[in-house]
Amino acid sequence: MNIEGTKKLAGVIELLLESASRINEAKPQRYWYPLSMATYGVEEILEAIDSMCSFRTTMWEKTLLFERKFAAAQGCADAVMVNSGSSADLLLCFLMTDPNNPRLGPGDEVLAPVVTWPTQIWSVLMAGLQVRLVDIDPTTLNMDVADLESKIGPSTRAIFVTHLMGNPCAMDQIMALARKHNLVVLEDCCEALGAEFDGRKVGNFGIGGSFSFFFSHHLTTMEGGMICCPDTKTAEQLRILRAHGWLRNVDTTAYKLGADVDPRYAFVNWGFNLRPTELQAGFGLHQLNRMAGFEKRREIIANRVHAFVDQSKFLTRPHVHSKAQPYWFALPMVVREDAPFSRYDITSYLEKEGVETRPIVAGNLARHPAAQLFASFQRDKFPGANIIHERGFYIGLSPMQSNANIGRLLQCLETFQK
Ligand SMILES: Cc1ncc(COP(=O)(O)O)c(C=O)c1O
């Protein structure tokens, strides 16, 4: 598109966005403090239109460029984009059992937290591995390191951590355990893009880190995900698994093909189709440019709400490790055991007032109906996760939220507390 055309189109998109927000404002809104708000604008929409008008909608150069820029921002050797954070978790697990280079085999056990987004656990099981669920420390929301250590057994081969709500796990202790017992480390960073432990970005500690770009996350591509990789070989394996086991978009020199196999349709592995679209990657390129601004705004809002929680006699918020730099995904809180109200009381009040709330992801996953399907959930008790299940909740942390609404939120919390 030429510059003149782009300017005209940008004007039209601005008008459309303005009229959409007027229509939305006129509608009765259930929440003035929702879990998430749109963080994209004219640039992302123009980029998507550009892909459609150039008939390059499926994975192409923008995806590669976004992968490169993401890897540079993340400080890792390479990154592979997929269509969701769940797909990123799935590919990470299938990387472990890749028939071309298996690191883990059937029956090998992966230790993973019981409080997480369920697709992380489903991914382990779908890849044919065993999962042993680790309790969480309710004061951090992350894996309880003592419970983790106690569950390392003869079949344990990997630890799949989750940096829940953007709060980094104690990676020094976890990596020391992994070294001692020769375990592979995987990281689910779907809620923790940008968070650091000991000056190192989460996702860079083990064999790979998964990220989600769902609408409400730190960076959005509408739907989307990424895996950051410590080396280009791992990224290549993932690219093959991402798309059909097909030898495409990768360096082909290492593969010996018979003369009867057309190199354009050569399959060297099994695989899925978890490819993103160019529209999603185009969104990501602009969202990356906005990240620093989002980060500042999220920090300001988090500090104001945390100051309220810290003076409250009835609420707590997650502890942060002295070496960790969290990048909060949302604002999780836990109602103290001795509070004169329940989690239900405070969330019902907030919901009635127009503040959207949620449990801390699934709470104790072992208490969900799906847990009945898998023996691994029945094996242990999870007292830490029960605390979060019964007394934890979170509210949103959108960088688009106004100062006036933050004031109104604090007022609301104050009124409830009184
Ligand atoms: C910890 C965690 N892992 C994985 C996912 C899955 O990501 P997606 O929704 O993009 O599939 C999420 C989603 O929010 C998540 O919070």
Side-chain angles (χ1 to χ4, degrees), residues 42-61:
V42 175
E43 287 86 353
E44 285 86 344
I45 298 171
L46 262 179
E47 199 66 65
I49 292 173
D50 170 69
S51 295
M52 287 191 285
C53 294
S54 56
F55 305 108
R56 298 217 159 165
T57 50
T58 55
M59 196 174 73
W60 211 282
E61 288 117 338

Side-chain angles (χ1 to χ4, degrees), residues 247 255-268:
L247 200 55
Y255 301 91
K256 287 192 179 52
L257 300 177
D260 59 323
V261 176
D262 187 322
R264 293 168 301 179
Y265 272 178
F267 296 89
V268 291

Side-chain angles (χ1 to χ4, degrees), residues 84-86 89 117 119 162 188 190-191 212 214 217 224:
S84 73
S86 300
D89 279 344
W117 194 252
T119 50
T162 313
D188 180 319
C190 286
E191 298 182 0
S212 164
F214 181 63
H217 287 235

Side-chain angles (χ1 to χ4, degrees), residues 63-73 78-79 226:
T63 307
L64 204 56
L65 184 62
F66 179 42
E67 289 178 340
R68 287 201 183 124
K69 291 201 165 182
F70 185 91
D78 207 344
M226 190 77 87

